[in-house]
């Protein structure tokens, strides 16, 4: 019986250690997948109205928020952030003007 315990206890300790390491790695990987990515959209419309914000042709997905050369003050949004990964999904997510104007990185004047 002692020989069996000498074999089983270390094996059990190894199994528990491996299971613990696997669980920690899996938890870390899951939390990294939950990090929300922000995408940038450039607004080229001429009006700060909900109807214009909902026109897909007024938006362009960009990779650099400084790319269009917007100012810091102005009447119209220029670059907006969103968790939506496509222009179509972004425009579909706009329900109020605050969905655009509350997520501005930069603005522009006419």
């Amino acid at each position: 019986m002692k020989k069996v315990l000498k074999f089983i206890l270390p094996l059990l300790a190894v199994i528990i250690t491996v299971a613990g390491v696997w669980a920690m790695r899996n938890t870390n990987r899951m939390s990294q997948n939950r990090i929300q990515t922000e995408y940038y959209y450039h607004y080229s419309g001429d009006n700060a109205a909900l109807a214009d914000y909902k026109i897909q042709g007024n938006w362009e997905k960009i990779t650099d928020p400084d790319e269009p050369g917007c100012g810091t003050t102005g009447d119209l949004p220029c670059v907006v952030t969103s968790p939506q990964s496509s222009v179509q999904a972004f425009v579909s997510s706009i329900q109020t003007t605050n969905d655009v104007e509350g997520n501005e990185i930069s603005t522009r004047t006419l």
Side-chain angles (χ1 to χ4, degrees), residues 11-90:
L11 182 61
L12 189 58
V14 169
I15 290 172
I16 291 171
T17 302
V18 169
V21 169
W22 178 80
M24 285 189 300
R25 291 187 76 213
N26 194 31
T27 301
N28 188 28
R29 191 174 308 139
M30 287 175 57
S31 66
Q32 286 177 347
N33 289 340
R34 290 185 190 157
I35 296 173
Q36 192 172 19
T37 303
E38 289 292 321
Y39 299 95
Y40 303 107
Y41 294 95
H42 175 243
Y43 180 63
S44 60
D46 294 334
N47 198 348
L50 181 60
D52 290 322
Y53 291 158
K54 294 185 80 56
I55 297 172
Q56 190 170 338
N58 285 342
W59 295 98
E60 170 190 21
K61 185 176 178 181
I62 58 175
T63 56
D64 182 5
D66 296 326
E67 183 177 301
C70 305
T72 55
T73 59
D75 304 330
L76 294 174
C78 188
V79 176
V80 175
T81 63
S82 173
Q84 304 300 326
S85 62
S86 70
V87 173
Q88 181 180 7
F90 169 63

